Amino acid sequence: MENEAPDFGERLNHEWYMLCAQQGLFAVDDPQFLLAVAEGTEASGESWWARVRLRSEWDFGGAGAAAMVTGRGHGHPEFVMLSLDGTLVVRGSQGQEWTDIVCLENPHEVPAFRELGAQLTASGLTPARTRAALSRWLEVTRH
């Protein structure tokens, strides 16, 4: 969606909801999912999954981005979300002219992701919380 559109915030929220409800990020009657939350306001690279429940006043590109939870300031969305069962990843990212929302179904079936997860889990350079989360994901999604 075009960043300079006068109704950008409303369109972002609407299109995000329609896409994520359809793809299965959450159940419409119980809209819970995981949101990657970074530590502090700096891009330190460390984040963890927070379980959240969608409320009627949600605003990812506006208030959420301004609070540095779902973006880098009001009108600048940037987020990663995961379904509770780990089968859908959603990424929202703002480029110079457009903001994209991309869904990836069954990331655990992508060999390169599993290999990367295993490498990061084995690395002492990976933060402990990240290693623990990756280990759980690899275990739960093992075939």
Side-chain angles (χ1 to χ4, degrees), residues 52-106:
V52 298
R53 176 170 297 169
L54 195 60
R55 296 175 46 171
S56 60
E57 63 270 9
W58 61 277
D59 180 12
F60 289 117
M68 306 297 278
V69 175
T70 58
R72 300 168 301 182
H74 190 277
H76 301 284
E78 197 76 36
F79 53 82
V80 178
M81 299 165 178
L82 180 66
S83 62
L84 293 179
D85 65 3
T87 61
L88 184 75
V89 176
V90 178
R91 171 86 165 110
S93 183
Q94 187 176 56
Q96 189 170 358
E97 296 181 28
W98 296 89
T99 296
D100 296 315
I101 301 172
V102 178
C103 294
L104 174 63
E105 292 183 65
N106 301 313

Side-chain angles (χ1 to χ4, degrees), residues 28-43:
V28 176
D29 61 338
D30 187 18
Q32 294 185 61
F33 54 93
L34 301 174
L35 174 67
V37 179
E39 188 169 310
T41 58
E42 299 298 317

Side-chain angles (χ1 to χ4, degrees):
M1 100 194 47
E2 190 174 2
N3 294 337
E4 299 302 320
D7 59 347
F8 172 77
E10 293 170 11
R11 284 182 54 206
L12 172 74
N13 288 332
H14 176 76
E15 290 182 27
W16 172 88
Y17 182 86
M18 298 303 290
L19 178 65
C20 292
Q22 178 185 31
Q23 295 297 316
L25 178 66
F26 52 80
V28 176
D29 61 338
D30 187 18
Q32 294 185 61
F33 54 93
L34 301 174
L35 174 67
V37 179
E39 188 169 310
T41 58
E42 299 298 317
S44 66
E46 186 169 358
S47 62
W48 65 92
W49 292 114
R51 186 176 187 145
V52 298
R53 176 170 297 169
L54 195 60
R55 296 175 46 171
S56 60
E57 63 270 9
W58 61 277
D59 180 12
F60 289 117
M68 306 297 278
V69 175
T70 58
R72 300 168 301 182
H74 190 277
H76 301 284
E78 197 76 36
F79 53 82
V80 178
M81 299 165 178
L82 180 66
S83 62
L84 293 179
D85 65 3
T87 61
L88 184 75
V89 176
V90 178
R91 171 86 165 110
S93 183
Q94 187 176 56
Q96 189 170 358
E97 296 181 28
W98 296 89
T99 296
D100 296 315
I101 301 172
V102 178
C103 294
L104 174 63
E105 292 183 65
N106 301 313
H108 58 282
E109 293 180 359
V110 179
F113 285 170
R114 293 195 69 78
E115 291 168 14
L116 178 60
Q119 288 172 0
L120 291 171
T121 300
S123 172
L125 298 175
T126 303
R129 284 189 284 205
T130 302
R131 285 195 316 269
L134 282 168
S135 292
R136 285 190 304 274
W137 178 73
L138 289 167
E139 180 64 29
V140 168
T141 60
R142 186 173 20 161
H143 287 70

